[in-house]
Amino acid sequence: MSPEQYVQEKAASSGSSFYYAFLFLPAPRRAAITAFYAFCREIDDVVDETQDAGVAATKLAWWRKEAMAAFAGQPQHPVMRALMPHCSVYDIRLEHLMAVIEGCQMDLDQSRFLDYPGLQRYCHLVAGVVGEVASAIFGRSEPQTVAYAHKLGLAMQLTNIIRDVGDDARRGRIYLPISELQQFDVKAHEILLRQAPWGYSERFSRLMAFQAERAHRLYDEAFALLPEADRQAQKPGIMMANIYRALLREIEAERFQVLHQRISLTPLRKLWIAMRTNWRGR
């Protein structure tokens, strides 16, 4: 299997909303974003699929060395071999890859966030930086597009957090800031139980509505930042945002029943949203 085939299978098998946006890109840009996304998936899988934290930390250390070796001209892993030809073309730097690894290292080092600024730091590493790289691959001509990409990445990561409250609780993690749990009088153990009557209280619903309102506000702020000159090129990012926002609305319609299930959109609906965005341009 070639490195290009490897990253293509990695991206396609994830079932991510990102994959549907990639389909509308020209071949060179699609190859670049597919390779970069496969790298992000490899790093994320280290944390999600490795139960022993010590083993996961060792694997992340290996990826740091592999990234440095790749930028020194000696990539070994098929993901890095697929990614490296695109790095100089789209200004993908070692610091970008190290930021993604650092973000996943935070998953190993802590399972709670005291406040929203702390959560923002985590989201910057695992989503904002990813948005910055993606926006470069899609094509940008205005500096303000970087700010748009970071804010959009934050909105999408917060949507992920809302969707995955139950899955994260099963792993002993709570990404909702502790200060906001206290604000709405929701106890950590109630979330970790993942069941009624404690889980789906009115207090939990108000907490989750607060999270959703913030995510919606960030989507609006992100799009307000996007320069008109880059709107056409950034259409794949808009597709992803529309898919994620449709997911957020679905979660709201389900009254935030996220503790015992993982609410998702069907592949057909994701594809339809991507196609509609491509037609409408927004």
Short mmCIF file of all heavy atoms in Angstrom, two decimals, residues 103-132:
data_model
loop_
_atom_site.label_atom_id
_atom_site.label_comp_id
_atom_site.label_asym_id
_atom_site.label_seq_id
_atom_site.Cartn_x
_atom_site.Cartn_y
_atom_site.Cartn_z
N GLY A 103 -1.55 19.08 22.09
CA GLY A 103 -2.94 19.06 22.50
C GLY A 103 -3.39 17.69 22.95
O GLY A 103 -4.08 17.55 23.97
N CYS A 104 -2.97 16.66 22.23
CA CYS A 104 -3.33 15.30 22.63
C CYS A 104 -2.58 14.88 23.89
O CYS A 104 -3.09 14.06 24.68
CB CYS A 104 -3.06 14.33 21.49
SG CYS A 104 -4.25 14.51 20.13
N GLN A 105 -1.39 15.43 24.12
CA GLN A 105 -0.67 15.18 25.37
C GLN A 105 -1.48 15.71 26.54
O GLN A 105 -1.50 15.11 27.63
CB GLN A 105 0.70 15.84 25.33
CG GLN A 105 1.54 15.61 26.58
CD GLN A 105 2.03 14.18 26.70
OE1 GLN A 105 2.57 13.62 25.75
NE2 GLN A 105 1.84 13.59 27.87
N MET A 106 -2.18 16.84 26.33
CA MET A 106 -3.03 17.38 27.39
C MET A 106 -4.13 16.41 27.77
O MET A 106 -4.54 16.34 28.94
CB MET A 106 -3.64 18.71 26.94
CG MET A 106 -2.64 19.86 26.86
SD MET A 106 -3.40 21.43 26.34
CE MET A 106 -4.38 21.82 27.81
N ASP A 107 -4.61 15.62 26.81
CA ASP A 107 -5.61 14.61 27.11
C ASP A 107 -5.08 13.58 28.10
O ASP A 107 -5.84 13.03 28.91
CB ASP A 107 -6.06 13.89 25.83
CG ASP A 107 -7.02 14.73 25.00
OD1 ASP A 107 -7.90 15.37 25.59
OD2 ASP A 107 -6.89 14.73 23.77
N LEU A 108 -3.79 13.30 28.02
CA LEU A 108 -3.17 12.33 28.93
C LEU A 108 -2.87 12.94 30.29
O LEU A 108 -2.94 12.27 31.31
CB LEU A 108 -1.86 11.79 28.33
CG LEU A 108 -1.96 11.06 26.99
CD1 LEU A 108 -0.57 10.58 26.57
CD2 LEU A 108 -2.91 9.87 27.09
N ASP A 109 -2.53 14.23 30.28
CA ASP A 109 -2.07 14.88 31.51
C ASP A 109 -3.19 15.39 32.38
O ASP A 109 -2.99 15.60 33.58
CB ASP A 109 -1.13 16.04 31.16
CG ASP A 109 0.15 15.57 30.47
OD1 ASP A 109 0.50 14.38 30.61
OD2 ASP A 109 0.78 16.40 29.78
N GLN A 110 -4.37 15.64 31.82
CA GLN A 110 -5.48 16.14 32.62
C GLN A 110 -6.81 15.66 32.05
O GLN A 110 -6.95 15.48 30.85
CB GLN A 110 -5.45 17.67 32.68
CG GLN A 110 -5.59 18.38 31.35
CD GLN A 110 -5.44 19.88 31.47
OE1 GLN A 110 -4.37 20.43 31.27
NE2 GLN A 110 -6.53 20.56 31.83
N SER A 111 -7.76 15.46 32.96
CA SER A 111 -9.08 15.00 32.55
C SER A 111 -10.16 16.02 32.89
O SER A 111 -11.34 15.76 32.72
CB SER A 111 -9.42 13.66 33.22
OG SER A 111 -9.37 13.78 34.63
N ARG A 112 -9.74 17.18 33.40
CA ARG A 112 -10.66 18.27 33.74
C ARG A 112 -10.04 19.59 33.32
O ARG A 112 -8.82 19.73 33.22
CB ARG A 112 -10.93 18.32 35.25
CG ARG A 112 -11.46 17.05 35.88
CD ARG A 112 -12.91 16.80 35.56
NE ARG A 112 -13.44 15.73 36.39
CZ ARG A 112 -13.26 14.43 36.14
NH1 ARG A 112 -12.56 14.05 35.09
NH2 ARG A 112 -13.77 13.51 36.95
N PHE A 113 -10.90 20.59 33.10
CA PHE A 113 -10.46 21.94 32.82
C PHE A 113 -11.14 22.87 33.82
O PHE A 113 -12.36 22.85 33.94
CB PHE A 113 -10.80 22.35 31.38
CG PHE A 113 -10.00 21.59 30.36
CD1 PHE A 113 -10.46 20.38 29.85
CD2 PHE A 113 -8.77 22.07 29.92
CE1 PHE A 113 -9.72 19.67 28.93
CE2 PHE A 113 -8.02 21.37 28.99
CZ PHE A 113 -8.49 20.16 28.49
N LEU A 114 -10.35 23.66 34.51
CA LEU A 114 -10.88 24.49 35.58
C LEU A 114 -11.84 25.55 35.06
O LEU A 114 -12.86 25.83 35.68
CB LEU A 114 -9.74 25.16 36.36
CG LEU A 114 -8.87 24.23 37.21
CD1 LEU A 114 -7.72 25.02 37.85
CD2 LEU A 114 -9.69 23.52 38.27
N ASP A 115 -11.49 26.15 33.90
CA ASP A 115 -12.31 27.26 33.41
C ASP A 115 -12.26 27.29 31.88
O ASP A 115 -11.53 26.52 31.24
CB ASP A 115 -11.84 28.59 34.00
CG ASP A 115 -10.34 28.82 33.82
OD1 ASP A 115 -9.75 28.25 32.88
OD2 ASP A 115 -9.75 29.57 34.62
N TYR A 116 -13.02 28.21 31.32
CA TYR A 116 -13.11 28.30 29.87
C TYR A 116 -11.78 28.71 29.23
O TYR A 116 -11.41 28.15 28.19
CB TYR A 116 -14.23 29.25 29.48
CG TYR A 116 -14.41 29.40 27.98
CD1 TYR A 116 -14.67 28.29 27.18
CD2 TYR A 116 -14.33 30.65 27.38
CE1 TYR A 116 -14.83 28.42 25.81
CE2 TYR A 116 -14.50 30.79 26.01
CZ TYR A 116 -14.74 29.66 25.23
OH TYR A 116 -14.89 29.79 23.87
N PRO A 117 -11.03 29.66 29.77
CA PRO A 117 -9.73 29.97 29.17
C PRO A 117 -8.81 28.75 29.07
O PRO A 117 -8.09 28.60 28.08
CB PRO A 117 -9.16 31.05 30.10
CG PRO A 117 -10.36 31.74 30.65
CD PRO A 117 -11.36 30.64 30.84
N GLY A 118 -8.84 27.89 30.08
CA GLY A 118 -8.04 26.67 30.01
C GLY A 118 -8.51 25.75 28.90
O GLY A 118 -7.70 25.15 28.19
N LEU A 119 -9.83 25.65 28.74
CA LEU A 119 -10.38 24.84 27.66
C LEU A 119 -10.04 25.44 26.30
O LEU A 119 -9.75 24.72 25.34
CB LEU A 119 -11.89 24.72 27.81
CG LEU A 119 -12.63 23.89 26.75
CD1 LEU A 119 -12.14 22.45 26.75
CD2 LEU A 119 -14.13 23.95 26.95
N GLN A 120 -10.04 26.77 26.21
CA GLN A 120 -9.68 27.44 24.96
C GLN A 120 -8.26 27.10 24.54
O GLN A 120 -7.99 26.93 23.34
CB GLN A 120 -9.82 28.96 25.11
CG GLN A 120 -11.24 29.48 24.97
CD GLN A 120 -11.27 30.99 25.07
OE1 GLN A 120 -10.93 31.58 26.10
NE2 GLN A 120 -11.66 31.65 23.99
N ARG A 121 -7.35 27.03 25.49
CA ARG A 121 -5.96 26.68 25.18
C ARG A 121 -5.90 25.30 24.55
O ARG A 121 -5.22 25.08 23.54
CB ARG A 121 -5.13 26.73 26.46
CG ARG A 121 -3.74 26.11 26.36
CD ARG A 121 -2.86 26.82 25.36
NE ARG A 121 -1.54 26.21 25.28
CZ ARG A 121 -0.68 26.42 24.30
NH1 ARG A 121 -1.00 27.23 23.30
NH2 ARG A 121 0.50 25.84 24.30
N TYR A 122 -6.62 24.35 25.12
CA TYR A 122 -6.67 23.00 24.57
C TYR A 122 -7.27 23.02 23.16
O TYR A 122 -6.72 22.42 22.23
CB TYR A 122 -7.51 22.11 25.49
CG TYR A 122 -7.88 20.78 24.90
CD1 TYR A 122 -6.95 19.74 24.80
CD2 TYR A 122 -9.18 20.54 24.43
CE1 TYR A 122 -7.29 18.51 24.25
CE2 TYR A 122 -9.53 19.33 23.88
CZ TYR A 122 -8.58 18.31 23.80
OH TYR A 122 -8.94 17.11 23.23
N CYS A 123 -8.38 23.74 22.99
CA CYS A 123 -9.04 23.80 21.68
C CYS A 123 -8.16 24.46 20.63
O CYS A 123 -8.19 24.09 19.46
CB CYS A 123 -10.36 24.56 21.80
SG CYS A 123 -11.63 23.70 22.75
N HIS A 124 -7.36 25.44 21.06
CA HIS A 124 -6.43 26.07 20.13
C HIS A 124 -5.47 25.05 19.54
O HIS A 124 -5.22 25.04 18.32
CB HIS A 124 -5.64 27.17 20.85
CG HIS A 124 -4.41 27.62 20.11
ND1 HIS A 124 -4.48 28.43 19.00
CD2 HIS A 124 -3.09 27.34 20.31
CE1 HIS A 124 -3.25 28.65 18.54
NE2 HIS A 124 -2.40 28.00 19.31
N LEU A 125 -4.97 24.15 20.38
CA LEU A 125 -3.97 23.18 19.93
C LEU A 125 -4.57 22.10 19.04
O LEU A 125 -4.00 21.74 18.02
CB LEU A 125 -3.28 22.54 21.14
CG LEU A 125 -2.44 23.48 22.01
CD1 LEU A 125 -2.01 22.78 23.29
CD2 LEU A 125 -1.22 23.98 21.24
N VAL A 126 -5.74 21.57 19.43
CA VAL A 126 -6.29 20.43 18.70
C VAL A 126 -7.25 20.83 17.58
O VAL A 126 -7.61 19.98 16.76
CB VAL A 126 -7.01 19.44 19.66
CG1 VAL A 126 -6.06 18.92 20.72
CG2 VAL A 126 -8.23 20.09 20.31
N ALA A 127 -7.65 22.10 17.55
CA ALA A 127 -8.63 22.52 16.53
C ALA A 127 -8.25 23.82 15.85
O ALA A 127 -8.35 23.93 14.63
CB ALA A 127 -10.02 22.64 17.16
N GLY A 128 -7.83 24.82 16.61
CA GLY A 128 -7.47 26.10 16.01
C GLY A 128 -6.31 25.98 15.06
O GLY A 128 -6.34 26.50 13.93
N VAL A 129 -5.27 25.27 15.48
CA VAL A 129 -4.09 25.07 14.62
C VAL A 129 -4.47 24.24 13.40
O VAL A 129 -4.00 24.50 12.29
CB VAL A 129 -2.96 24.40 15.41
CG1 VAL A 129 -1.81 24.00 14.49
CG2 VAL A 129 -2.43 25.33 16.50
N VAL A 130 -5.32 23.25 13.61
CA VAL A 130 -5.80 22.44 12.48
C VAL A 130 -6.56 23.31 11.48
O VAL A 130 -6.39 23.19 10.27
CB VAL A 130 -6.70 21.29 12.99
CG1 VAL A 130 -7.34 20.54 11.81
CG2 VAL A 130 -5.88 20.32 13.85
N GLY A 131 -7.39 24.22 12.00
CA GLY A 131 -8.11 25.14 11.13
C GLY A 131 -7.17 26.05 10.36
O GLY A 131 -7.39 26.32 9.17
N GLU A 132 -6.11 26.50 11.01
CA GLU A 132 -5.13 27.36 10.34
C GLU A 132 -4.48 26.63 9.17
O GLU A 132 -4.35 27.18 8.06
CB GLU A 132 -4.08 27.81 11.34
CG GLU A 132 -2.99 28.67 10.73
CD GLU A 132 -1.93 29.09 11.73
OE1 GLU A 132 -2.23 29.10 12.96
OE2 GLU A 132 -0.80 29.40 11.31
#
